[in-house]
Amino acid sequence: MKDTSLYQQILGNTSPWSVSDVKLDPVKLTIEVQVTIDHGTIWGCLVCQSRMHIKEWNERRWRHLDSCQFKTVLVASVPSVECKEHGSQTVQVPWTEGSSRFILYFERFAIAVLQACSESRAAELLAITWDQADGIKQRAVLRRMLKRGELDVEYICVDEKAVGHGHDYITVVTGLRKGEQVVLYVGDGKGEAGLNGFWELLGPEKCGRIKAVSMDFGKSYIKSTRQYCPNAKLIFDSFHYMKMINNAVNEVRKQEIIMGSVAAKESLKKSRQLWLWGEENLPEKFKKRFKELKNSTLKTAKAWRLKELWRNFSGCQTEEEGRVFFKEWLRLVMASKIEPVKKVARSMKEHFEGIITYLKYRFCNAIAEGGNSRIQLLVQKACGYRNRERLKTDIMFHFGGLQLDPVGHQ
């Protein structure tokens, strides 16, 4: 079999182009595959179908997957053609996309490597520059973002994520698609503007099909959702209000250390973490001490018992049962006269319709919190991002659930 026939089979269907020559350079360890086309080929305008006239021929080169451990490059003279009505353009060849200097099979392999390791390490393994590796990643994301139609979702989570120093945030919209947790959208900032872009991307029809949106108590997210998705139910994140209750218990502990008796102060020394653990997660070495603390008359112990009682809310089977539970829990909190816990309870009462909705849908921001942890690891691996758009691209590349294969999903 001639080398030209072998490499034509490797390239696949490149009609009307064909492999005309193969050159091996044993010194540079490279193989050049020359691809040609009949210079008499007639080109038609993609818009008006009229005949286009050839202006000039330019030699272009594309990196192929290595063959026989040699760096392999495709070389072809590609015509620039002109339409009287729609101007000039360079002919698109079938083995690559746009102005990329890599064939689609190489980009497919590079995407797999980039998903497995850092960008600098991937560039080293692929023997390309960091900029070239980043370009492959950005093209992969852009290619699928323009073509994806899978944003037709019914349940989504909205959360903010700090990504820099100071008040530097992004809005992350997460959803479930085919049982897989994926990032659907990344917006700038944590206010309305950060979320509005997602609703505008969906459009009114798809916004109307959203059944429930999980979020924290942030007024800006609530306002944005109500504006674009008036029919969607709001589910307030259980993680958020459990954090609020934990903070209230800790506030009671700090107040009691300052204002309590000498015995109370002594009992509460080095006990901060004990009150924050769920009792079932308490390490064995602390159980004896904590048993004495939780059964004491300390205000902190009373606040902790109210916190633990609230954890049973998720066990309610119906909304009606949940309403009865909350009413009784609220009565106990108000009777406790523990102001930090009462303050949280009043806030929960104000947002209770969004809290009770959880019992119907059993859907919350847990998947968003897990996604935020993965994003944080991504930021740490990259030692931070100076370019916000590159951060958003990397998030979608790694966690967007996009079909990035440029060969199988053209």
Side-chain angles (χ1 to χ4, degrees):
M1 181 183 289
K2 295 182 179 179
D3 287 345
T4 54
S5 300
L6 171 64
Y7 277 92
Q8 185 64 69
Q9 288 195 16
I10 291 174
L11 284 178
N13 182 16
T14 57
S15 179
W17 303 80
S18 60
V19 176
S20 60
D21 193 17
V22 178
K23 298 177 182 178
L24 185 148
D25 188 331
V27 178
K28 295 182 179 180
L29 300 178
T30 61
I31 295 173
E32 283 194 2
V33 181
Q34 187 75 43
V35 186
T36 57
I37 191 172
D38 184 356
H39 280 214
T41 302
I42 297 174
W43 304 97
C45 177
L46 296 176
V47 180
C48 65
Q49 307 304 316
S50 63
R51 180 171 178 173
M52 302 185 78
H53 301 283
I54 297 175
K55 294 174 61 180
E56 59 181 343
W57 294 79
N58 297 301
E59 185 177 274
R60 296 182 62 192
R61 302 168 68 87
W62 299 267
R63 173 76 181 275
H64 194 288
L65 291 168
D66 292 354
S67 55
C68 305
Q69 300 182 6
F70 280 64
K71 180 179 178 180
T72 305
V73 179
L74 261 65
V75 183
S77 291
V78 181
S80 293
V81 292
E82 184 176 27
C83 170
K84 292 181 179 179
E85 184 177 352
H86 298 102
S88 61
Q89 57 185 275
T90 300
V91 167
Q92 180 64 56
V93 292
W95 53 83
T96 191
E97 190 175 72
S99 59
S100 171
R101 292 301 184 182
F102 303 95
I103 73 159
L104 293 174
Y105 287 105
F106 184 91
E107 292 209 4
R108 170 201 271 176
F109 177 65
I111 287 166
V113 176
L114 285 162
Q115 288 178 322
C117 59
S118 69
E119 206 159 311
S120 56
R121 179 58 177 156
E124 181 182 347
L125 291 171
L126 295 166
I128 59 178
T129 67
W130 186 93
D131 287 332
Q132 288 173 329
D134 188 66
I136 291 172
K137 180 187 293 185
Q138 292 193 42
R139 280 194 298 277
V141 172
L142 181 61
R143 182 187 299 125
R144 299 318 307 169
M145 291 290 282
L146 290 175
K147 296 180 181 179
R148 72 173 181 168
E150 61 266 26
L151 280 181
D152 194 0
V153 290
E154 295 181 335
Y155 304 94
I156 64 170
C157 298
V158 179
D159 201 8
E160 63 194 40
K161 175 76 182 78
V163 291
H165 298 293
H167 300 285
D168 190 8
Y169 291 88
I170 56 175
T171 293
V172 182
V173 180
T174 313
L176 290 174
R177 191 169 62 244
K178 297 179 181 178
E180 180 187 5
Q181 170 194 331
V182 296
V183 175
L184 302 172
Y185 178 80
V186 183
D188 293 317
K190 63 174 183 176
E192 273 185 81
L195 182 56
N196 286 351
F198 176 68
W199 305 130
E200 290 165 4
L201 180 65
L202 280 186
E205 184 182 348
K206 290 182 180 179
C207 282
R209 290 203 288 268
I210 290 181
K211 293 180 178 179
V213 182
S214 177
M215 63 180 69
D216 59 25
F217 292 166
K219 292 182 179 179
S220 58
Y221 288 154
I222 295 172
K223 182 179 178 182
S224 175
T225 304
R226 285 297 184 215
Q227 179 183 347
Y228 287 90
C229 306
N231 299 324
K233 293 288 186 181
L234 297 184
I235 303 175
F236 292 123
D237 178 25
S238 58
F239 173 84
H240 180 70
Y241 50 75
M242 272 311 302
K243 182 179 178 181
M244 292 170 62
I245 298 174
N246 271 323
N247 289 341
V249 173
N250 192 47
E251 183 63 28
V252 174
R253 180 191 65 84
K254 290 192 289 186
Q255 290 179 6
E256 201 163 13
I257 286 176
I258 296 171
M259 306 296 292
S261 65
V262 174
K265 293 178 182 179
E266 190 63 30
S267 298
L268 290 169
K269 277 185 179 179
K270 298 182 180 179
S271 68
R272 177 181 179 274
Q273 188 60 46
L274 300 183
W275 304 107
L276 301 180
W277 264 314
E279 191 170 11
E280 70 281 3
N281 298 322
L282 193 70
E284 189 66 36
K285 61 181 179 180
F286 296 124
K287 285 186 176 179
K288 183 178 179 181
R289 182 192 176 193
F290 190 67
K291 184 177 180 180
E292 296 174 359
L293 284 172
K294 71 175 184 176
N295 294 326
S296 69
T297 57
L298 291 167
K299 280 189 176 182
T300 308
K302 194 172 184 179
W304 177 85
R305 288 193 289 271
L306 290 169
K307 180 201 80 167
E308 289 297 296
L309 179 61
W310 173 255
R311 294 177 68 199
N312 295 319
F313 172 78
S314 61
C316 296
Q317 298 301 309
T318 64
E319 290 189 34
E320 182 181 355
E321 187 181 342
R323 291 181 190 280
V324 173
F325 179 93
F326 180 75
K327 185 177 181 180
E328 179 60 20
W329 183 79
L330 185 63
R331 185 188 67 78
L332 292 173
V333 170
M334 293 307 171
S336 72
K337 299 180 181 179
I338 302 175
E339 188 55 38
V341 183
K342 288 171 65 177
K343 182 179 179 181
V344 174
R346 285 192 289 266
S347 178
M348 291 171 65
K349 182 181 179 182
E350 181 183 347
H351 297 91
F352 184 65
E353 289 307 313
I355 294 173
I356 196 72
T357 307
Y358 165 76
L359 297 179
K360 178 179 179 181
Y361 293 100
R362 299 289 170 174
F363 179 76
C364 66
N365 258 24
I367 63 170
E369 296 299 335
N372 282 354
S373 298
R374 294 191 297 162
I375 291 172
Q376 184 60 34
L377 287 175
L378 183 67
V379 172
Q380 289 173 350
K381 278 180 65 177
C383 299
Y385 285 82
R386 293 183 181 180
N387 186 302
R388 174 60 57 82
E389 292 305 314
R390 182 166 282 121
L391 167 62
K392 291 159 69 173
T393 297
D394 276 14
I395 291 172
M396 296 307 300
F397 181 82
H398 290 284
F399 312 127
L402 302 174
Q403 298 293 335
L404 299 174
D405 185 351
V407 179
H409 297 85
Q410 294 185 68

